[in-house]
Amino acid sequence: MSKNKKLSLSGGDTTEKFIYKPKDLIWAKMKGFTPWPGMIVDPPLDLLSQQRRANTKCVFFFGSRNFAWIEENNIKPFEGPWKEELAKVSKPAAFRHAMTDIEKYIDDPAEVDEQVNKSCGAPNHATEADFDKIRDGLDSEEIAGEEATADGNNGVVAHVVGSPDEGDGLDVEINADSSASPVPTPAVTTKVAGKRTPKAKSVAATSVKSTKGLAKSAQKRRTSAQHSPSGPSNAKRGKREVSREALQDADEASSTPTGRRRVETDALLASIAAKRAPNAIALLDRPVVTRPEAQVIDMTSRSNTLADREIVPSEQTFGFLGLGMMGSTIVKDLIYTGHKVVVWNRTIDKCQPFAEAGAEVKDTPMDVVEAADIIFCCVSDPKGAKDLVFGNCGVLQLKDLNNKAYVEMSTIDPDTSLDIGEGIKQCNGRYLEAQIHGSRQEAADGMLIILAGGDRSVFEECHSCFKTIAKNTFFLGNIGNACKVNLILQTILGVSLVGLAEALALADRFSISLNDIIDILDLTSMKSTMLLAKGKEMAKGDFNPQQPLSHMQRDLRLVLNMAENLDQSMPVTSITNEVFKHTKRLGYSEHDSSAVFVRSRF
């Protein structure tokens, strides 16, 4: 086959028709994909509740082993003169896996049949492979009003009339002139329409379903219209005629009490289905994402790097507000090196391991300020940082701080840092912003970078603490400078991650080993510890949070707000921010920032 030819399942002989039954093996075509091996099956319960086009079959796809509705004009029997052409075209690894899967089924169908039978009795949850198939979104064409009804004599399914040119043609030309009648095969997935059916139409359609006599008469009209040799315009006119006749039948049915009850009940069910089915399906059927397990702090483990350092703990008492991913790791290191620590956290249960290790636990931030000489704060966002200072039972509830020092370690924007610093100074306190750059593992190893700005005397007093948790510290002058530098570094990190994710996603589509790409990258001048580490996480699919994806997107948002105030154009950063936002919406907010690879891949 020429490389320029497109794979298509629509043959040249439009009169050729196959009758598909459950267990038939087929080629099925979805938009954006080559024809895929599958099998006609009875639909699972969750597919039954979805609205779909007419002339569709429920298809079980081999390899990904998921289900979907596919139009009959996008289905061909598995065996036939087209099989060689469809199977020999260069395909990704997933396709080769699907071909292996169907060959195993032909040899021993027991395993797949068991899975299909189980799925038909319980809702079907999509996997990550499914999201690849729905990434192009929903079809905006009108939803057909009726399900197919089986003919008891020969098993032929009668369908609502559909325009033959509405479906997306497959990209492989099939020799439909062959007289061979292949073993019927399952059909490819149909797209769900994006527009909701108007009430009048849905009521009429459901009333036709509920009345057997009306269904039979409408079926005859639809069948005769379907076999007429009319073109697309006639097909559309046939749709309108069927719709008018259905409305007339509905009026007749509603003239009796029984008919009215049926119409009302069916209308209610149709309205519920309309609310659930159209635009919600693409989001609800995306890959099931499990939250990463909460990391329990291990107070007994010790970093070899930290153990080799000669640290003389300060005699001052250090308060710590916030025991999140970074905060808990920092406090653990401070306790390990002999610092006296007082802690507070919104969730009091997180304080228990530190209390057992020797830290003192307080009930409010104000209590921590009273008990400590230097107070550190490390929370998730600027709003949380300001609440701890200005909020109820916050730091500034003490009107006189008696020259105590407040060190803000949360990732915040310069304006927020200036506001907090001004509030601390007005209450006779000293303020230092100490932005931490690094991951959770780097914090555990004492390998962070500290970027500080503000009161120089506080920076000097925190020397033993900074030496515990960081390999380098920088004092950058006035308040706000450290926040700016930290956000600039985060911009570089975020843009690099998205570039790496898209490059590896492209390699994956070419069926090139991601590990090979990482190994080659390690030999080039582009290599970096961060890119290599994140690339390995993407290759393994291990998104255990070192730096949560939500935190990365927060930093990019702060960068863009900061640039907006300066009228500084940052188009690449803006696109990077949107990529992370989309990944958050897919359910990876609490995973590592390397999970952006999932969005790029699917």
Side-chain angles (χ1 to χ4, degrees):
M1 175 184 292
S2 170
K3 292 184 179 179
N4 295 326
K5 288 186 178 180
K6 293 184 177 179
L7 292 177
S8 173
L9 290 184
S10 55
D13 186 1
T14 56
T15 61
E16 182 181 20
K17 181 175 179 61
F18 298 99
I19 299 174
Y20 300 105
K21 297 176 293 185
K23 305 297 183 182
D24 287 345
L25 299 180
I26 51 104
W27 293 98
K29 176 72 172 68
M30 294 184 70
K31 180 181 178 181
F33 290 86
T34 58
W36 207 267
M39 178 172 65
I40 300 293
V41 295
D42 293 324
L45 298 182
D46 57 349
L47 286 188
L48 287 174
S49 64
Q50 296 180 6
Q51 293 186 358
R52 59 190 181 278
R53 290 182 182 177
N55 303 341
T56 60
K57 291 290 186 180
C58 180
V59 173
F60 169 82
F61 287 100
F62 287 95
S64 60
R65 297 200 173 186
N66 58 295
F67 301 83
W69 292 109
I70 303 296
E71 294 177 347
E72 287 191 3
N73 63 343
N74 282 332
I75 298 175
K76 279 286 187 181
F78 186 71
E79 300 294 342
W82 45 78
K83 179 180 177 182
E84 182 179 356
E85 295 293 335
L86 294 176
K88 78 177 182 180
V89 178
S90 177
K91 303 282 191 355
F95 178 83
R96 297 195 295 271
H97 174 63
M99 291 299 297
T100 302
D101 200 16
I102 193 172
E103 295 297 338
K104 289 182 180 178
Y105 173 78
I106 294 173
D107 294 337
D108 182 11
E111 179 194 356
V112 173
D113 286 345
E114 182 181 357
Q115 179 179 346
V116 171
N117 292 336
K118 288 182 179 179
S119 299
C120 291
N124 171 43
H125 295 291
T127 63
E128 287 193 356
D130 305 344
F131 186 70
D132 201 22
K133 295 179 173 56
I134 63 172
R135 72 187 189 282
D136 291 324
L138 299 171
D139 190 1
S140 60
E141 296 179 4
E142 190 177 25
I143 299 173
E146 264 188 61
E147 295 178 354
T149 307
D151 188 325
N153 295 326
N154 56 16
V156 177
V157 181
H159 301 288
V160 179
V161 174
S163 176
D165 62 344
E166 288 181 358
D168 295 311
L170 286 53
D171 301 42
V172 168
E173 294 186 0
I174 301 297
N175 184 8
D177 297 333
S178 173
S179 60
S181 180
V183 178
T185 323
V188 181
T189 357
T190 68
K191 290 183 287 184
V192 183
K195 294 182 181 178
R196 295 185 178 177
T197 307
K199 280 188 176 180
K201 291 185 179 181
S202 63
V203 170
T206 49
S207 64
V208 174
K209 283 187 193 177
S210 61
T211 311
K212 291 182 179 179
L214 296 176
K216 288 181 179 179
S217 62
Q219 176 180 331
K220 291 178 181 178
R221 287 191 293 270
R222 286 191 300 276
T223 304
S224 62
Q226 184 177 7
H227 289 290
S228 66
S230 57
S233 60
N234 288 339
K236 293 179 181 177
R237 184 162 58 252
K239 283 186 178 181
R240 289 194 293 270
E241 290 173 358
V242 171
S243 180
R244 291 194 207 99
E245 291 166 353
L247 288 171
Q248 293 173 2
D249 292 339
D251 292 338
E252 295 172 4
S254 61
S255 62
T256 63
T258 304
R260 280 195 297 273
R261 284 195 297 273
R262 285 175 177 169
V263 170
E264 292 170 0
T265 303
D266 292 337
L268 176 61
L269 294 175
S271 65
I272 294 174
K275 290 178 181 178
R276 293 181 54 194
N279 292 327
I281 294 174
L283 289 177
L284 296 179
D285 285 352
R286 68 175 184 260
V288 177
V289 179
T290 56
R291 282 187 176 183
E293 295 183 3
Q295 299 293 320
V296 179
I297 191 73
D298 183 5
M299 300 300 294
T300 61
S301 63
R302 296 290 182 267
S303 166
N304 293 331
T305 305
L306 194 59
D308 294 338
R309 292 180 185 170
E310 297 180 359
I311 299 172
V312 179
S314 172
E315 295 180 357
Q316 293 180 307
T317 300
F318 295 90
F320 212 95
L321 307 177
L323 297 175
M325 180 182 297
M326 296 295 287
S328 59
T329 306
I330 292 172
V331 170
K332 171 191 166 183
D333 291 344
L334 293 178
I335 295 174
Y336 170 65
T337 52
H339 292 83
K340 185 178 180 181
V341 183
V342 181
V343 298
W344 171 88
N345 191 67
R346 285 190 178 92
T347 307
I348 197 65
D349 294 342
K350 287 188 176 181
C351 298
Q352 185 61 33
F354 303 99
E356 295 173 356
E360 185 179 355
V361 179
K362 295 296 182 180
D363 295 328
T364 66
M366 183 174 61
D367 296 335
V368 173
V369 175
E370 289 179 333
D373 301 308
I374 299 176
I375 301 92
F376 290 92
C377 174
C378 187
V379 292
S380 60
D381 56 30
K383 182 180 182 302
K386 293 185 77 169
D387 287 345
L388 287 182
V389 175
F390 300 104
N392 187 31
C393 297
V395 173
L396 297 187
Q397 292 300 309
L398 291 177
K399 301 304 180 182
D400 187 359
L401 295 178
N402 294 320
N403 206 37
K404 292 185 177 183
Y406 188 81
V407 181
E408 184 59 77
M409 305 186 82
S410 310
T411 300
I412 57 177
D413 57 281
D415 291 340
T416 299
S417 185
L418 288 169
D419 291 342
I420 294 174
E422 186 65 26
I424 295 295
K425 291 177 182 178
Q426 288 180 357
C427 292
N428 194 26
R430 296 174 296 156
Y431 176 72
L432 180 75
E433 60 181 19
Q435 301 291 282
I436 50 180
H437 185 80
S439 64
R440 181 183 63 183
Q441 186 59 48
E442 289 173 326
D445 294 338
M447 299 298 287
L448 295 172
I449 301 293
I450 299 293
L451 308 170
D455 194 314
R456 181 78 190 213
S457 64
V458 179
F459 179 75
E460 299 295 341
E461 292 174 12
C462 295
H463 175 73
S464 64
C465 295
F466 292 160
K467 188 176 181 180
T468 299
I469 64 176
K471 62 180 179 180
N472 291 103
T473 59
F474 297 89
F475 184 78
L476 301 174
N478 296 330
I479 296 173
N481 289 346
C483 294
K484 295 172 185 176
V485 173
N486 185 48
L487 291 176
I488 290 170
L489 293 176
Q490 289 298 95
T491 303
I492 298 172
L493 175 59
V495 172
S496 299
L497 279 177
V498 171
L500 177 65
E502 292 188 352
L504 292 182
L506 180 61
D508 183 66
R509 292 303 296 267
F510 281 127
S511 301
I512 299 174
S513 170
L514 301 188
N515 290 323
D516 289 347
I517 297 292
I518 300 301
D519 291 341
I520 295 171
L521 176 64
D522 190 21
L523 301 175
T524 68
S525 59
M526 299 182 294
K527 70 175 181 180
S528 75
T529 304
M530 185 277 295
L531 289 179
L532 293 174
K534 295 301 181 182
K536 291 175 181 177
E537 291 173 6
M538 294 176 187
K540 292 190 299 182
D542 178 13
F543 307 126
N544 185 38
Q546 294 294 324
Q547 181 182 37
L549 187 139
S550 59
H551 290 187
M552 176 59 70
Q553 193 273 323
R554 169 208 64 196
D555 296 345
L556 292 172
R557 184 183 71 247
L558 295 177
V559 168
L560 292 173
N561 291 339
M562 189 169 63
E564 179 69 20
N565 295 333
L566 300 173
D567 291 331
Q568 174 65 41
S569 175
M570 301 187 72
V572 176
T573 305
S574 298
I575 294 173
T576 301
N577 181 50
E578 293 302 318
V579 172
F580 277 101
K581 281 166 61 177
H582 188 196
T583 312
K584 281 178 60 178
R585 188 172 180 181
L586 296 180
Y588 291 89
S589 178
E590 298 180 21
H591 294 70
D592 188 73
S593 54
S594 57
V596 72
F597 173 67
V598 176
R599 187 267 177 198
S600 298
R601 183 182 179 192
F602 297 105

